[in-house]
Amino acid sequence: LRAARDALPDAGGVNGIGRDRAASTPPGAGARFLAGPAVDLAVVAGLLVLAALLRIPDLATRGPWDTDQGEQMLAIRSIVHGQLTLLGAQTSTGGVHHGAVFYYLGALFALPSGGDDPTAVTFGIALGGIATVGFVWWMARAAGGPVAGLVAGLLAVVSAQMVDASV
């Protein structure tokens, strides 16, 4: 962006600021307190901890296991017991099947319990939700800078929809 800005003819500068002033102010100078790898690490670690605090506690009672999820758990249990498949379990909509990747990922978390503990699979889903918060922070930071990353990350942490989807 700096190269594109510098290539523009001087037509009064950027946002009413003369070119000399705009060129002397580094991008993101207003967010200097949020710059640097150590600060980035602290911000993303803090966001991930907050996300974990909202997603992991009380998984056994918050994880919704009804008809479709029961079918999914049976498919995961079958994989854990050696019945490999390329087709996921059938959904409640007749003839429609889930993809098998979800079941193989779930089987990784169900493996220690022999496929008998749905909370282990729910824990894996919660970890995916926590990882999503980190991904949202990273994408927003790359696109809009440190402040955008922090704001997007905080919104992802506290979003009721994202917390609910993480169990």
Side-chain angles (χ1 to χ4, degrees):
L1 291 176
R2 236 183 280 162
R5 183 188 70 214
D6 292 342
L8 293 174
D10 189 11
V14 178
N15 296 330
I17 300 173
R19 171 157 307 269
D20 295 335
R21 165 111 184 210
S24 66
T25 305
R32 188 166 296 184
F33 67 95
L34 284 175
V39 174
D40 284 346
L41 183 61
V43 167
V44 76
L47 290 171
L48 294 176
V49 166
L50 288 174
L53 289 173
L54 289 176
R55 287 159 176 81
I56 292 178
D58 206 24
L59 278 178
T61 58
R62 290 187 321 125
W65 289 95
D66 53 19
T67 307
D68 275 355
Q69 289 81 8
E71 290 287 332
Q72 292 171 0
M73 193 61 205
L74 288 173
I76 289 170
R77 189 172 187 274
S78 295
I79 291 171
V80 168
H81 290 282
Q83 296 173 341
L84 304 181
T85 181
L86 295 177
L87 186 63
Q90 187 171 358
T91 65
S92 57
T93 306
V96 177
H97 292 264
H98 292 289
V101 172
F102 170 78
Y103 299 99
Y104 284 103
L105 289 173
L108 292 174
F109 290 96
L111 198 58
S113 70
D116 293 328
D117 185 9
T119 305
V121 178
T122 306
F123 178 72
I125 295 169
L127 287 180
I130 294 165
T132 300
V133 169
F135 181 73
V136 166
W137 167 83
W138 177 69
M139 289 298 291
R141 184 173 186 324
V147 174
L150 177 63
V151 170
L154 284 172
L155 289 173
V157 164
V158 299
S159 165
Q161 181 65 33
M162 288 185 71
V163 171
D164 187 49
S166 297
V167 294

